[in-house]
Amino acid sequence: MKEASGQVAGAIIAGGISSRMQEGGILGDKFFQRIGSDTIIEHVARRLSPQVDLLFINANCDPSPFEPLGYPIATDVKADHGGPLIGLLSALRFIPTFPLLLSAAADSPFFPQDLGRQLYERRRKTGARIVLASSRDRIHPVFGLWETTLVSMLETWLADAKKASVLAFATDIGFETVEFPLVTLPGRNETYDPFFNINRPDDLAEARRLNEALK
């Protein structure tokens, strides 16, 4: 994907306050909970890094916990809104010299290893400025390929937006999607959604089970 598309920056969007995890009795930031020997965000970084020319983390909080990971950090810009769309804006502002941004959520450790290539191929065929991933006919707007020149349009759009919704912005601009299939666990008659994300203690337990099954 990198060779085909030129310079592509990758952003791990690490937003949220882990409230549902903490309500379930697990303290601390969910991104630093462990699945096997690595944290959730380390799993995400390992999958995204080979797909991009520069990998960085977008954080909506104190960036110091992310610093030991060794990646550049783009903290959220000041805005009237919150949420992942502000994270996307902050990421787009962070890499003005890159033509494309590939974004991924920090709480989805099993997303496709060919995410960038698939999204780029759809972009090449359609000319879309935004290409988003989907599975089970559900769009996952944080997993997308974005033209970085969209940053000024996003700033203007946010000035009048009542709610900072990634999907609403993409819909107003126009976007294409790539449908990713469910993944079959090796040696089992069982599938899982590659965009499975971790919000609650039960999700963390399921992620640990999947990780063991994938070894």
Side-chain angles (χ1 to χ4, degrees):
M1 181 251 184
K2 291 191 292 184
E3 291 78 5
S5 61
Q7 288 192 315
V8 180
I12 300 174
I13 307 297
I17 57 175
S18 304
S19 58
R20 284 174 284 185
M21 192 71 74
Q22 292 168 12
E23 287 169 1
I26 295 180
L27 301 179
D29 198 314
K30 66 178 178 179
F31 309 126
F32 297 103
Q33 300 302 319
R34 290 196 172 272
I35 301 175
S37 59
D38 294 320
T39 62
I40 294 171
I41 197 169
E42 285 174 327
H43 281 274
V44 173
R46 186 181 304 116
R47 284 187 174 246
L48 191 57
S49 181
Q51 303 187 47
V52 298
D53 297 287
L54 170 72
L55 179 63
F56 66 98
I57 296 170
N58 160 250
N60 71 340
C61 56
D62 176 11
S64 59
F66 298 97
E67 291 172 355
L69 297 172
Y71 299 105
I73 301 170
T75 55
D76 271 4
V77 298
K78 292 183 178 180
D80 293 333
H81 302 282
L85 189 58
I86 303 305
L88 177 63
L89 172 62
S90 305
L92 290 170
R93 283 185 176 180
F94 191 70
I95 39 94
T97 61
F98 283 77
L100 295 171
L101 174 73
L102 180 63
S103 60
D107 60 1
S108 297
F110 306 112
F111 68 89
Q113 293 175 316
D114 64 347
L115 173 73
R117 181 177 61 80
Q118 295 272 15
L119 298 185
Y120 179 77
E121 281 302 306
R122 183 57 54 86
R123 177 184 184 274
R124 184 180 63 81
K125 291 177 181 178
T126 65
R129 304 185 71 185
I130 302 169
V131 185
L132 303 179
S134 68
S135 62
R136 291 178 170 171
D137 294 320
R138 176 179 171 233
I139 296 171
H140 306 286
V142 177
F143 288 90
L145 185 66
W146 311 81
E147 287 189 5
T148 57
T149 54
L150 289 166
V151 65
S152 60
M153 298 180 69
L154 176 51
E155 290 169 343
T156 301
W157 189 89
L158 276 168
D160 296 323
K162 295 181 179 179
K163 182 180 179 181
S165 163
V166 177
L167 187 56
F169 171 69
T171 300
D172 280 358
I173 299 298
F175 67 93
E176 290 286 327
T177 61
V178 174
E179 177 73 11
F180 288 84
L182 300 182
V183 180
T184 302
L185 285 174
R188 305 190 188 189
N189 186 24
E190 180 184 355
T191 60
Y192 67 92
D193 188 331
F195 298 99
F196 163 73
N197 66 308
I198 300 169
N199 285 314
R200 300 174 175 85
D202 288 350
D203 299 329
L204 181 59
E206 174 65 5
R208 288 169 173 165
R209 186 187 73 85
L210 288 175
N211 185 62
E212 286 299 314
L214 289 167
K215 289 183 177 178

